[in-house]
């Protein structure tokens, strides 16, 4: 894995990003186990200096270089300022990261990243780290996790769309946006529209109209219309639903990421015709990936309605 990478082989992987509590560490753990069972050699790299309890097998840990508690104590910084300092320190010590990664040649990499949103929308340290990895012949895709409960609140969902778009433009990597914790979505209330409305980010004018029914948001209709206009003008944001406990859901997310970072088109593992075709399709793939989750959601709603009728 030499600088410039002329003689080094390609390395594939994912940088797992997203706000705090979106399930990044759980995703890395689940994906490590899932890929291990299909025969991939997976290396998990923890780039979150605040991550102390890691359920997965961590091969490279930024804590060996720097930790957030040490920075906060010694430099008298808060958690946000401390995280930014840690990422800048990592950027200044590329040689440490390169040496650690060189021990795992031929592996598939999962980079568990910090949860501070500003690192992906404004600050350049992590973006520069990803760019340096690209120079070392890493072919990476950004997996941006978003908690699915935001779908139940139209205002929050528009905010998530803006954040996702800003992240995609700033990070400058092939991007797969993921709605995590789909198995818990019904706990937060009924969706205003079908699930595919949120995963495919369809006509958002309906969302603005739904927001206008709230007296508070009615005063900000013009602002919401402009935000929606920006999102639709770029037409970049869509989501893949994920339930980490469901093998089929994990497989669909893995295939979307493999297509994004180019792993599907290499010769790293034996691939059946079905796997190749699933990586080549577009809208059909997203339809099938949402169908199973949507059916479960509808069935749970029907069950709740029947119970209410029986109570009457």
């Amino acid at each position: 894995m030499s600088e410039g990478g002329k003689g080094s082989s390609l390395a594939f992987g994912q940088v797992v990003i997203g706000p705090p509590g979106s399930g990044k560490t759980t995703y890395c753990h689940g994906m490590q186990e899932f890929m291990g069972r299909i025969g991939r050699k997976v290396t998990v790299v923890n780039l979150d200096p605040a991550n102390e309890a890691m359920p997965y097998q961590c091969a490279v840990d930024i804590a060996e270089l720097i930790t957030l508690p040490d920075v906060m104590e010694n430099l008298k910084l808060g958690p946000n300022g401390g995280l930014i300092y840690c990422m800048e320190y990592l950027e200044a010590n590329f040689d440490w990261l390169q040496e650690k990664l060189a021990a795992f040649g031929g592996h598939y990499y999962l980079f568990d990243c910090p949860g501070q949103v500003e690192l992906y929308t404004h600050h350049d340290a992590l973006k520069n780290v990803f760019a340096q990895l690209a120079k070392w012949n890493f072919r990476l895709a950004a997996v941006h996790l978003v908690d699915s409960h935001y779908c139940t609140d139209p205002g929050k969902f528009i905010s998530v769309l803006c954040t996702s778009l800003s992240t995609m433009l700033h990070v400058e990597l092939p991007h797969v946006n993921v709605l995590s914790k789909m198995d818990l979505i019904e706990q937060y209330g009924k969706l205003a529209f079908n699930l595919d409305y949120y995963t495919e980010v369809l006509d958002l004018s309906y969302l603005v109209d739904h927001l206008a029914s709230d007296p508070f948001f009615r005063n900000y209709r013009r602002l919401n219309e402009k935000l929606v206009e920006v999102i639709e003008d770029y037409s970049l944001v869509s989501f893949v639903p994920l339930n980490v406990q469901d093998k089929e859901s994990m497989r669909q997310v893995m295939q979307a990421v493999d297509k994004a970072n180019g792993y599907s088109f290499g010769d790293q593992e034996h691939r059946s015709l079905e796997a190749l075709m699933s990586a080549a399709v577009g809208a059909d793939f997203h339809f099938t990936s949402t169908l199973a989750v949507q059916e479960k959601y509808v069935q749970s709603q029907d069950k709740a309605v029947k119970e209410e009728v029986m109570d009457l």
Side-chain angles (χ1 to χ4, degrees), residues 198-269:
Y198 300 92
T199 56
E200 297 300 323
V201 188
L202 302 175
D203 189 351
L204 294 177
S205 62
Y206 293 104
L207 206 62
V208 174
D209 292 339
H210 189 72
L211 268 176
S213 62
D214 187 312
F216 175 80
F217 286 107
R218 190 178 300 132
N219 298 326
Y220 299 95
R221 183 184 180 97
R222 184 63 175 163
L223 172 63
N224 290 324
E225 287 176 345
K226 287 299 180 183
L227 290 174
V228 163
E229 187 177 317
V230 171
I231 295 165
E232 292 186 329
D233 282 349
Y234 277 96
S235 190
L236 291 175
V237 184
S238 62
F239 295 95
V240 180
L242 171 66
N243 173 8
V244 175
Q245 307 299 327
D246 183 59
K247 292 180 182 179
E248 180 62 21
S249 179
M250 291 290 286
R251 184 185 68 84
Q252 289 166 348
V253 171
M254 184 188 72
Q255 287 181 333
V257 178
D258 283 351
K259 178 186 176 184
N261 64 17
Y263 186 91
S264 291
F265 309 105
D267 57 356
Q268 284 71 21
E269 62 183 10

Side-chain angles (χ1 to χ4, degrees), residues 19 22 144-148 150 160 164 177-181 239:
S22 57
H144 184 215
L145 297 181
V146 175
D147 199 315
S148 61
Y150 289 121
V160 161
S164 299
N177 294 302
V178 175
L179 284 177
S180 63
K181 307 178 186 177
F239 295 95

Side-chain angles (χ1 to χ4, degrees), residues 15-304:
V15 293
V16 184
I17 62 179
S22 57
K24 297 183 296 296
T25 298
T26 302
Y27 172 86
C28 288
H29 184 210
M31 191 58 74
Q32 180 187 43
E33 289 189 342
F34 183 80
M35 288 185 170
R37 288 173 181 169
I38 63 173
R40 293 192 195 180
K41 294 184 292 185
V42 181
T43 293
V44 182
V45 181
N46 176 43
L47 295 184
D48 186 356
N51 200 352
E52 297 178 350
M54 293 172 286
Y56 49 73
Q57 296 178 0
C58 183
V60 180
D61 190 355
I62 193 176
E64 299 176 21
L65 178 70
I66 191 170
T67 65
L68 181 59
D70 288 345
V71 170
M72 292 173 62
E73 181 180 350
N74 295 326
L75 299 181
K76 308 303 178 186
L77 293 172
N80 290 339
L83 269 175
I84 289 176
Y85 180 88
C86 289
M87 293 302 100
E88 291 177 346
Y89 192 80
L90 175 63
E91 182 186 2
N93 289 273
F94 279 140
D95 54 340
W96 173 86
L97 183 60
Q98 184 177 22
E99 181 182 350
K100 290 292 184 180
L101 295 177
F104 302 96
H107 285 215
Y108 189 98
Y109 296 83
L110 298 173
F111 294 87
D112 189 2
C113 298
Q116 188 177 357
V117 175
E118 292 86 349
L119 290 171
Y120 313 112
T121 58
H122 298 83
H123 201 260
D124 286 337
L126 265 180
K127 173 185 174 181
N128 294 338
V129 170
F130 301 154
Q132 184 62 48
L133 288 170
K135 292 179 182 178
W136 295 338
N137 272 345
F138 278 80
R139 297 297 178 260
L140 302 173
V143 178
H144 184 215
L145 297 181
V146 175
D147 199 315
S148 61
H149 84 264
Y150 289 121
C151 295
T152 61
D153 186 319
K156 290 180 180 178
F157 187 65
I158 289 179
S159 176
V160 161
L161 291 173
C162 291
T163 302
S164 299
L165 177 60
S166 178
T167 300
M168 294 176 76
L169 296 176
H170 184 74
V171 171
E172 297 180 349
L173 283 177
H175 222 85
V176 177
N177 294 302
V178 175
L179 284 177
S180 63
K181 307 178 186 177
M182 287 303 301
D183 52 320
L184 303 177
I185 190 171
E186 56 262 24
Q187 294 184 9
Y188 302 103
K190 188 177 180 180
L191 297 179
F193 306 100
N194 289 336
L195 185 61
D196 57 351
Y197 177 86
Y198 300 92
T199 56
E200 297 300 323
V201 188
L202 302 175
D203 189 351
L204 294 177
S205 62
Y206 293 104
L207 206 62
V208 174
D209 292 339
H210 189 72
L211 268 176
S213 62
D214 187 312
F216 175 80
F217 286 107
R218 190 178 300 132
N219 298 326
Y220 299 95
R221 183 184 180 97
R222 184 63 175 163
L223 172 63
N224 290 324
E225 287 176 345
K226 287 299 180 183
L227 290 174
V228 163
E229 187 177 317
V230 171
I231 295 165
E232 292 186 329
D233 282 349
Y234 277 96
S235 190
L236 291 175
V237 184
S238 62
F239 295 95
V240 180
L242 171 66
N243 173 8
V244 175
Q245 307 299 327
D246 183 59
K247 292 180 182 179
E248 180 62 21
S249 179
M250 291 290 286
R251 184 185 68 84
Q252 289 166 348
V253 171
M254 184 188 72
Q255 287 181 333
V257 178
D258 283 351
K259 178 186 176 184
N261 64 17
Y263 186 91
S264 291
F265 309 105
D267 57 356
Q268 284 71 21
E269 62 183 10
H270 176 74
R271 291 169 284 113
S272 65
L273 179 61
E274 179 184 358
L276 181 61
M277 292 303 294
S278 65
V281 298
D284 289 343
F285 165 77
H286 290 292
F287 173 76
T288 56
S289 68
T290 60
L291 186 60
V293 180
Q294 185 169 331
E295 285 178 349
K296 291 179 182 178
Y297 176 75
V298 172
Q299 287 171 2
S300 66
Q301 294 299 315
D302 291 343
K303 182 179 179 182

